[in-house]
Amino acid sequence: MSLDRPVAPDPYELLPRVGSFTVTSTDVRDGEPLATRHAHGSAGGENVSPQLTWSGAPEGTKSYVVTCFDPDAPIPGGFWHWAAVNIPADTTGLPEGAGASDDALPGAAFHVRSDFGTRDYGGAAPPQGDQVHRYYFVVHAVDVERLDVDENASPSVVSFNLAFHTLARAIVTPTYAH
């Protein structure tokens, strides 16, 4: 079976325009491969979420949501690797490994189920020999303290809610293949 297919578009270019701010990381960089440490165990990794720091969020930001999405998965809707919701507005970053559990997140923030079916960070795991995959780590500046979702929501439901509450996005997009 062949997995040959066109490269998916940048999913955030297809959404309504919002402002932007800055996200940096000591672990990941735009267009550069993720370290194996940030890959899923099934891809030889350690499943550790990368460190993220952000700045310059717009006035009116009342919380953040951090997500990781792979639009290059060989399925119609891409693959959600991480969604941490209701991160307090005074937070300016997450340390490496913050995706391990809700206990590693600040305040009352929590994880929703990734497409792996777990409530934590699920590292990169593209099919062996597939095209290079992009991993969109996105910090969403949100205009409410809490999105109206709970831990049983899917990342797609979180994203739907973000469509109405995102003031700005900060994006870093590393890659991975194996």
Side-chain angles (χ1 to χ4, degrees):
M1 172 189 220
S2 172
L3 292 177
D4 286 341
R5 61 199 182 281
V7 173
D10 175 337
Y12 293 95
E13 289 294 321
L14 303 175
L15 296 177
R17 299 273 181 221
V18 296
S20 65
F21 58 109
T22 302
V23 61
T24 59
S25 176
T26 57
D27 298 323
V28 297
R29 290 179 199 23
D30 275 327
E32 293 186 18
L34 279 167
T36 304
R37 168 175 188 72
H38 304 298
H40 194 266
S42 65
E46 298 175 36
N47 222 39
V48 176
S49 61
Q51 179 276 341
L52 300 171
T53 300
W54 53 87
S55 62
E59 187 174 327
T61 299
K62 295 183 179 174
S63 68
Y64 297 97
V65 171
V66 173
T67 60
C68 178
F69 180 70
D70 171 8
D72 301 312
I75 57 176
F79 197 92
W80 289 101
H81 288 263
W82 192 19
V85 180
N86 298 339
I87 297 169
D90 61 354
T91 304
T92 58
L94 294 176
E96 183 181 60
S101 72
D102 291 350
D103 293 340
L105 295 174
F110 61 91
H111 290 97
V112 301
R113 252 183 356 268
S114 72
D115 283 341
F116 288 109
T118 58
R119 290 185 182 101
D120 56 10
Y121 169 78
Q128 184 76 34
D130 197 17
Q131 66 189 27
V132 173
H133 286 222
R134 297 162 294 160
Y135 294 86
Y136 285 77
F137 286 88
V138 182
V139 181
H140 310 260
V142 181
D143 67 359
V144 293
E145 288 181 20
R146 297 185 49 81
L147 285 183
D148 189 21
V149 299
D150 64 22
E151 69 278 355
N152 295 313
S154 69
S156 294
V157 169
V158 170
S159 290
F160 180 78
N161 279 270
L162 285 171
F164 303 98
H165 294 288
T166 298
L167 297 170
R169 290 183 200 98
I171 302 174
V172 61
T173 311
T175 63
Y176 196 77
H178 75 108

